[in-house]
Amino acid sequence: MRNTMKVAKWEIKRNLKNKTFLIGLFLTPVLIIGFMLLGSLFGDDPADTEQETTRVFVNDQLGVFPELQESVNQNKLPWDLLQTDLTEKEVAAEAELSENTAYIFIDERAMQEGNVPVYLSEEIPPFFSNELQLLSSPLQSMQMEELGITEKQLAVISKGFHFNEQSPGENINTTSTEEETSLGENPIEDLAPGAFAGFIMLSIVFTGMAIFQSASQEKKDKIAEIILSSLTPAELMQGKIIGYFVLGLIQAVVSITLLFPFLLWKIDLPIIEYIFVPELILLLVIAILGFLLFASLFVGIGATMADITTAGNFQGMVMMLPFLPFIFIGPVISDPTGLMAQIGTYIPFTSPGVLLLRLTIMEEWPWVEIVISLAILIVSVWLAMKLAGKIFKVGILMYGKNATPGEIWKWIRA
C-alpha cells in the first residue's frame, strides 16, 4: 500500500506540473460559464419580457369567488379573473378556446374529492399550471369550515386539490386522476443532487481517461522496467487509479468553485441547500463505483498499446464505454420505471449513468433495483480490476505493437 500511494502522489505531482492539464483544469469551467452566458444573451430574459394576461373564467357553485380574487391580487398573478355561467359540458364541447383562456369549475367535487376541472386553450403561459396551485388556500379554508377540525378530517384536507387540466372535446372525467411519477413542485430542488453527482462522475471519469496515455507513455519512454524494479505491477496499476481519481476530484473542485458563484448570481435559489442532502451520499457512491469500473478498464487496456496515437479499433471501443448511458437518456426520461430503464440499470457499463438519471427524476426510489444494481456494480468493479491486473502485468512490458484481442484473452486465461 505504501508503494501504491507513492505512485499516486507521483501521478498527481506530474500532472499538476503539466501545462496541458493546468490549462484544461481552468478552461473547462470557463467554457461552461461562457456557453451559459451565450445562452442568456441570445435567449429571452423573463425579467425583461412582459407577461401576457390570462383570462380565467370561474364557474363558482360554492361562493368562493371573492376569496379566489383576493388570492390572485395578493400573489399578483397576471390573470383577468371573471365569473361565468357556462357549464363544463358546454366548454368541453367547444372545438377551440380563445388564446390565453382558462375555465375553472368549482363545485362539490372540490370539497369531497379535491378535484377541480380546468380547461385550457392551446396557447397558455408555461407557468400557468404552477400558478393554479395558489388557489388551493381559499379552497382549503372553505373545506376546513365545512368539516371542522378533527384528525380524520385533517387527513382529507392534507390531500390537497388536483387541477385536472383537459382540452375541449375530451371526455369529461369527474373522478380524481391517479398521480404520475414526475418531479416535485420545485424541479431544481429535485434535480440538483443528481446533477451534482453526475458532474462529479463525468469529471473523474474524463480525467481518468488520461490513464490510457499515462500507461502507454511510460512504455514509449521505456521507463516501465525501471519503475517495476522497485514495485509490483499491481501496485503501479492501483497507484495510477488512485492518482487519477484525486486529479478528477481536483478538476471537479476547481470547476465547482468557479461555477457556484456564477450559478448563485444567475439563479436566485438556495442551490447549496438543494445539493447537500442525505440522498447525495448514495449518488456519490454510484459515481465513484462508475469511475473505478472505467478506470480499471482504461489502465489495463492502456498497457496494451505501444503508443496512444496507434490505438486500434478495440482500444477505441473501450474508450467509448463511458458514453453508452447516453443511448438510454430518451427512454429513461420518457418512462423512468420502464423496461429500457431497468435494463440500463443492470448493465455494468451503463448502470452508473442510468441509475443517476433515474434517481434524479423519480419521486420514489426503487430500492430493490438500487440494491441489485449496486451489487452488480461492486462485483463488476472487482472483476474488472482483477482482469485489468492480469492484462497490465504482461502488457506494460510488451513493446513494438498493440496487443490484439486474442493476445489479451490469452493473458487473462494465464
Side-chain angles (χ1 to χ4, degrees):
M1 190 64 186
R2 185 179 177 183
N3 288 335
T4 296
M5 297 311 298
K6 284 183 178 179
V7 174
K9 291 178 182 178
W10 176 66
E11 289 285 0
I12 295 169
K13 290 180 181 178
R14 184 178 67 166
N15 280 278
L16 289 178
K17 294 178 181 178
N18 188 306
K19 291 182 180 179
T20 303
F21 179 82
L22 291 175
I23 292 172
L25 187 67
F26 292 97
L27 187 61
T28 300
V30 170
L31 287 175
I32 295 174
I33 293 173
F35 282 118
M36 293 177 71
L37 284 173
L38 283 175
S40 62
L41 287 175
F42 291 103
D44 294 328
D45 189 352
D48 297 335
T49 57
E50 295 183 0
Q51 287 184 297
E52 296 184 18
T53 302
T54 304
R55 299 180 70 197
V56 182
F57 294 93
V58 180
N59 185 312
D60 178 22
Q61 299 179 25
L62 302 179
V64 74
F65 185 82
E67 287 78 7
L68 298 180
Q69 183 71 66
E70 183 180 353
S71 179
V72 170
N73 294 336
Q74 286 180 350
N75 293 284
K76 298 181 181 179
L77 299 180
W79 290 8
D80 184 8
L81 198 64
L82 304 167
Q83 286 187 289
T84 181
D85 295 327
L86 287 176
T87 65
E88 187 176 352
K89 289 183 179 180
E90 290 174 339
V91 173
E94 290 190 25
E96 186 177 351
L97 298 179
S98 303
E99 185 178 345
N100 287 340
T101 303
Y103 284 85
I104 302 175
F105 295 89
I106 300 176
D107 50 29
E108 288 300 326
R109 283 174 292 177
M111 298 296 101
Q112 296 175 5
E113 303 173 5
N115 184 29
V116 180
V118 180
Y119 290 82
L120 307 176
S121 61
E122 292 186 3
E123 298 292 334
I124 201 79
F127 298 106
F128 182 77
S129 296
N130 294 330
E131 294 169 351
L132 271 176
Q133 302 302 322
L134 297 173
L135 301 184
S136 296
S137 295
L139 293 175
Q140 284 179 332
S141 298
M142 173 171 281
Q143 195 177 48
M144 292 173 67
E145 290 178 6
E146 285 192 0
L147 299 177
I149 306 299
T150 67
E151 291 185 4
K152 183 178 180 180
Q153 292 165 344
L154 282 174
V156 175
I157 295 172
S158 64
K159 292 180 181 178
F161 295 89
H162 177 72
F163 291 89
N164 186 16
E165 300 175 10
Q166 304 177 47
S167 299
E170 293 182 349
N171 294 329
I172 299 174
N173 182 11
T174 58
T175 60
S176 38
T177 58
E178 295 182 358
E179 295 182 359
E180 297 180 357
T181 302
S182 60
L183 294 174
E185 294 181 1
N186 191 342
I188 295 179
E189 183 177 2
D190 296 330
L191 293 172
F196 181 80
F199 182 79
I200 296 293
M201 185 179 75
L202 289 176
S203 296
I204 57 180
V205 167
F206 288 163
T207 303
M209 293 177 75
I211 296 178
F212 262 119
Q213 185 173 357
S214 174
S216 62
Q217 187 66 36
E218 286 166 5
K219 290 175 61 175
K220 183 179 178 181
D221 296 340
K222 297 184 179 180
I223 62 173
E225 295 96 334
I226 300 173
I227 297 173
L228 291 175
S229 64
S230 56
L231 47 81
T232 66
E235 290 173 335
L236 178 59
M237 184 188 77
Q238 293 166 6
K240 286 182 176 295
I241 292 175
I242 295 173
Y244 279 94
F245 174 73
V246 174
L247 289 169
L249 289 181
I250 293 173
Q251 173 72 77
V253 169
V254 171
S255 298
I256 291 168
T257 302
L258 294 177
L259 284 171
F260 260 25
F262 177 78
L263 290 175
L264 293 173
W265 170 61
K266 291 291 291 182
I267 305 173
D268 189 18
L269 291 171
I271 299 294
I272 296 177
E273 294 180 13
Y274 292 168
I275 290 175
F276 295 101
V277 294
E279 292 84 353
L280 181 64
I281 297 173
L282 175 60
L283 298 175
L284 289 178
V285 168
I286 296 169
I288 292 172
L289 287 174
F291 165 78
L292 293 175
L293 175 64
F294 293 122
S296 58
L297 293 175
F298 293 158
V299 72
I301 299 301
T304 67
M305 297 185 295
D307 187 358
I308 190 68
T309 59
T310 63
N313 293 333
F314 177 69
Q315 286 85 357
M317 289 174 62
V318 174
M319 291 184 69
M320 295 301 294
L321 288 178
F323 301 99
L324 280 180
F326 289 99
I327 299 173
F328 292 87
I329 288 179
V332 171
I333 291 177
S334 61
D335 186 6
T337 61
L339 179 62
M340 287 296 292
Q342 293 179 0
I343 292 173
T345 301
Y346 297 139
I347 299 174
F349 302 125
T350 61
S351 180
V354 171
L355 197 55
L356 285 178
L357 180 58
R358 289 185 67 193
L359 298 184
T360 300
I361 62 179
M362 292 179 71
E363 289 186 355
E364 294 185 6
W365 287 6
W367 286 104
V368 174
E369 296 179 25
I370 293 172
V371 171
I372 296 173
S373 178
L374 286 176
I376 293 173
L377 262 178
I378 292 170
V379 172
S380 299
V381 168
W382 175 82
L383 186 61
M385 285 192 169
K386 191 174 182 63
L387 297 179
K390 290 186 175 184
I391 297 171
F392 188 86
K393 183 178 181 180
V394 180
I396 195 68
L397 297 174
M398 187 183 74
Y399 295 97
K401 70 183 187 72
N402 294 339
T404 64
E407 290 173 331
I408 294 174
W409 178 244
K410 287 181 182 179
W411 301 345
I412 292 174
R413 293 181 62 186

